Amino acid sequence: MNYSVIRYILCRVLEFAALFMTLPLLVGVLYREKSALCFLYVIAGCLIVSLIGRRFKPKSQVFYAKEGFVTVSLSWIILSLIGALPFYLSGEFPTYTDALFETISGLTTTGATILTDVEGLSRCIQFWRCFTHWIGGMGVLVLILAVLPLSGSYNMHLMRAESPGPSVGKLVPKIKNTAMILYGIYLAITLIEITALMLAGLNLYEAATLSFSTTGTGGFGLLNTSIGSYSTTIQVIFIVFMLLCGINFQIFYLLLIKKPKEALGSEELRYYLGIVLAASILITINVRGFFADGFQAFHHSLFQVVSVMTTTGFATLDYNVWPEFSRSIIFLLTLLGACAGSTGGGFKVSRLIVLLRSIKNEIFSVVHPRSIKKIHMDGHIVEDGVIKSIQVYTMIYAIIFLGSFVLVSLNEFDFVTNITAVATTFNNVGPGFNMVGPAGNYAAFSGFSKFVLMFDMLAGRLELLPILVLVSPRTWKRC
């Protein structure tokens, strides 16, 4: 284990944490809020620790998969611990555990909250709360790779450990350039949404904070009613950008380099859009009696479907009161999630496609035992290693999900509350049903349950393996 390079990267993470906090600090100064001082203290602490740590240069910048997974996991944990400090020091969160829960929920773009009154927060704390979504949406290590190339070809291990999806590839030969392209697209989408929201009537502060939550597919809002108080035009803008950010960012790159056939030929994209449309139509038919006309029914159905499937977690109303059929569809979409390579969480559409096709192949091989049939996706053969990793991921996913559900059940809450609390945190969605529905929150959960759910949020965002590698005794065993 190359401890020196891990220490070096973690010091870089502290520096970026300080850099991120300058924005809410400026917001606090602009609005003359005392809470701004909390950011100043944390920034100073991060820089001091980083300067001390970086005095000892790493002996070697070479690291492998194990170091990559450990570094990514520790980076997210440290960033969460530091990010919670302004929340706690400001006095606007009752305990450090609650502040940590909110921070991890923000960074993992989950959107689950312990707050009962969002509107009671100061402007700079609200800004930081939403900005954590944007930081976590693409990943802090990806940003570091874009700005500071660390270890030549070895830094692919960092990107692979942090990027969502069953497999990770480079858009261009150099990892640094790939990271820069990803963040360039991400920033461009964010700026376009900010502009669109301002043209629709929001001020710069509202447009920026809500765009951070949308493009990061997180779901933290500025109002207790989430998005329900905004106009239909603004809600449509949210639908468009939530949908865009649930798409693999490689598709945007292919469109930029003028390869539309390859981009739009993506099977995952077609399935993703098809599921959104089919689910919206089914729910519209089921909830038609709840609305004055068919347009309103489709609008709200489409909004909730896009919000849940992209794991954003915004809501225009309390869909907790909808019929069981619609609630069941929303729950299934919670588990499914968005596309690989997007800012969305969940199981991922591409994994589902490969898993279903591997099941189909197994059934076919029983009927025709001598036949050899490969799984194809987008005209290419899916490698056996990818299929195996998806199958292993599915098993680990099920084990952690069921284990977390049992542990959270110690709260003695009802079944639906417990199962959806785990499902929405593990899949980085946020709101579930009953106590944790769009009109509810996670404040009533015990400290133990909150730590279980925090683990689920981190494990879900990092695609399970980095966190499991971190806690594995074998990782730390000297060879």
Side-chain angles (χ1 to χ4, degrees), residues 238-304:
F238 287 134
I239 291 174
V240 171
F241 283 92
M242 286 190 294
L243 200 61
L244 287 175
C245 292
I247 295 173
N248 191 328
F249 274 52
Q250 184 177 359
I251 290 175
F252 299 130
Y253 174 69
L254 291 172
L255 291 173
L256 287 174
I257 61 174
K258 298 181 180 179
K259 291 186 178 180
K261 288 185 178 180
E262 190 175 341
L264 302 179
S266 167
E267 289 186 67
E268 184 181 35
L269 176 63
R270 293 201 300 270
Y271 275 85
Y272 168 70
L273 296 176
I275 292 170
V276 167
L277 182 60
S280 300
I281 292 172
L282 289 173
I283 292 178
T284 299
I285 295 171
N286 189 233
V287 302
R288 176 64 181 83
F290 285 73
F291 299 95
D293 54 61
F295 172 78
Q296 285 188 18
F298 180 74
H299 169 75
H300 289 288
S301 298
L302 178 63
F303 189 100
Q304 304 337 302

Side-chain angles (χ1 to χ4, degrees), residues 1 3 66 472-479:
M1 182 79 76
Y3 293 103
K66 180 169 68 173
S472 172
R474 187 178 294 272
T475 301
W476 307 98
K477 184 179 179 181
R478 291 184 179 275
C479 298

Side-chain angles (χ1 to χ4, degrees), residues 456-476:
D456 288 344
M457 287 188 276
L458 284 169
R461 171 58 183 84
L462 297 180
E463 304 277 307
L464 306 184
L465 287 181
I467 289 292
L468 295 181
V469 169
L470 178 68
V471 300
S472 172
R474 187 178 294 272
T475 301
W476 307 98

Side-chain angles (χ1 to χ4, degrees), residues 23 31-32 50 58-59 82 102 124 143 154 157 166 169 194 210 224 230 254 265 267 295 306 327 350 367 383-384 465:
L23 286 179
Y31 287 100
R32 298 180 180 179
S50 176
K59 297 177 182 178
I82 293 169
E102 201 80 5
C124 60
L143 177 59
Y154 296 101
H157 297 304
I194 290 173
L210 292 173
N224 295 326
Y230 296 102
L254 291 172
E267 289 186 67
F295 172 78
V306 172
R327 283 157 49 100
S350 59
V367 180
E383 297 178 2
D384 292 339
L465 287 181

Side-chain angles (χ1 to χ4, degrees), residues 345-392:
F347 189 77
K348 302 294 185 301
V349 175
S350 59
R351 281 199 183 97
L352 179 64
I353 295 171
V354 173
L355 197 61
L356 291 176
R357 289 178 180 176
S358 64
I359 293 172
K360 180 181 177 182
N361 269 14
E362 283 299 313
I363 296 172
F364 184 83
S365 65
V366 171
V367 180
H368 305 281
R370 294 185 178 181
S371 66
I372 299 175
K373 192 174 182 181
K374 294 289 186 179
I375 296 174
H376 290 77
M377 192 167 177
D378 295 335
H380 302 288
I381 294 176
V382 180
E383 297 178 2
D384 292 339
V386 174
I387 297 172
K388 181 182 177 181
S389 70
I390 291 174
Q391 292 170 345
V392 170

